[in-house]
Every structure is written in structure tokens, then in C-alpha cells.
Amino acid sequence: GDQASVPLIVQQIEANKSPALRVHLIHALILLGDRSGAPRIEQLLAKTRTVDLQATAALALGLLGSPDSTRLLLQILKENGTITVKGSVAAGLGRMGEQGLVEPLIAFVKDASEQDLSRAFGVIALGMMGEKNPSIPPFARTAIDSLYDLQIDTLSEIRDIL
């Protein structure tokens, strides 16, 4: 990758106000595998209300393996938010693979006062962390015995997350 471009990409994430362009810039950082932009992505995630940008930022923090972001990601998982953002947070936490997340996620999943949907995404994050064969796409088991032509909002959301 072109590591010399990372400071320019981070600068453009800060300077540009277009959510769509910011999503593409974050994708560039993911592809470059550079963590130096993670603090800026975390700030953006905490401030933005644009669903696509939130989802991309949450997933990016996990894929970049930014352990400093786990507290924010767990907080977002607990909040009222869209299924898209919660799914991206779960995927980010799961892909991060931080073993220190296991206990907080288990406690979160067991807490009956939390929203059921949020707890379900906590289970997904745990499942992704424990996946022994990462070559199997996440949620692949949800496709077993399902009709692909059947339009179910939940299945569509799962496919969109992936």
C-alpha cells in the first residue's frame, strides 16, 4: 500500500464534510491497514449521525484492530441505534478479536435490562470472535435452509452488513 498517502487521507477525512466521501476515505485506510487514522475515525463515529458513515467507521475500527476504541463501540452497541450501525459495531468488535472484550460482552449479553436486539448483536460479536474458521463468512449459517428469493427484512439487513 501507499503508506505515504495516509496523512493526506486522514487530513481529508477531517476537512471534508461529505459523508459519502468520508466513507470512501475510511475504506482507503482499511485497505491500507493503517491504524494511525483510528483516533480520527473514532472521533467521527462519536459525532456523526449519518448511518452509513457510522457503520463504516465502526467496522473500520474493528478491522484496523484499534483496541482503544472498544469502549466507544460497546457504548454504541448499548444505545438506541439503527440495525445497520449495531451490526457494523458487532462485526467490528468480532473482527477485532480482542480477548479482553469477551467478559464485557458476556456480561452485556446476560444483562436483561439491555435491549434484546443489542444483546443479540453482542452474541454475534462473540460468535465472530470465536469462529475457528474465518474463511466461512459470518452469518453463513443463517442461510442454511433459507429461501434466497424470500424478502425478509432481517435477512436483507444481515446481507447488507456483510
Side-chain angles (χ1 to χ4, degrees), residues 76-102:
I76 291 170
L77 190 60
K78 292 178 180 185
E79 292 175 354
N80 291 329
T82 68
I83 191 169
T84 303
V85 173
K86 287 180 183 287
S88 294
V89 167
L93 289 169
R95 291 287 182 232
M96 192 179 294
E98 284 290 315
Q99 293 305 309
L101 282 171
V102 172

Side-chain angles (χ1 to χ4, degrees), residues 110-126:
K110 287 181 175 182
D111 186 353
S113 69
E114 297 291 347
Q115 293 180 334
D116 289 343
L117 180 63
S118 297
R119 291 169 57 206
F121 277 115
V123 171
I124 289 170
L126 285 165

Side-chain angles (χ1 to χ4, degrees), residues 3-161:
Q3 298 302 316
S5 66
V6 170
L8 178 60
I9 293 169
V10 172
Q11 178 188 17
Q12 287 303 307
I13 289 172
E14 292 174 2
N16 200 295
K17 299 302 178 204
S18 165
L21 180 57
R22 284 176 159 177
V23 164
H24 292 299
L25 292 167
I26 292 170
H27 285 156
L29 288 179
I30 293 169
L31 291 171
L32 290 169
D34 191 289
R35 284 187 189 179
S36 65
R40 180 61 190 125
I41 294 171
E42 187 175 341
Q43 290 171 353
L44 191 59
L45 175 59
K47 290 190 324 187
T48 189
R49 295 296 160 238
T50 306
V51 172
D52 288 343
L53 187 52
Q54 283 180 320
T56 300
L59 185 58
L61 291 171
L63 292 172
L64 292 172
S66 177
D68 295 338
S69 304
T70 57
R71 175 185 249 165
L72 175 62
L73 292 172
L74 286 169
Q75 175 188 338
I76 291 170
L77 190 60
K78 292 178 180 185
E79 292 175 354
N80 291 329
T82 68
I83 191 169
T84 303
V85 173
K86 287 180 183 287
S88 294
V89 167
L93 289 169
R95 291 287 182 232
M96 192 179 294
E98 284 290 315
Q99 293 305 309
L101 282 171
V102 172
E103 291 302 320
L105 278 170
I106 289 172
F108 172 70
V109 167
K110 287 181 175 182
D111 186 353
S113 69
E114 297 291 347
Q115 293 180 334
D116 289 343
L117 180 63
S118 297
R119 291 169 57 206
F121 277 115
V123 171
I124 289 170
L126 285 165
M128 291 175 77
M129 290 173 73
E131 180 61 57
K132 300 292 186 225
N133 187 352
S135 66
I136 297 173
F139 309 115
R141 290 175 190 90
T142 64
I144 296 171
D145 297 325
S146 69
L147 296 169
Y148 287 97
D149 293 337
L150 189 61
Q151 292 298 319
I152 299 174
D153 291 340
T154 304
L155 288 177
S156 295
E157 286 289 337
I158 290 172
R159 288 185 198 114
D160 287 345
I161 290 169

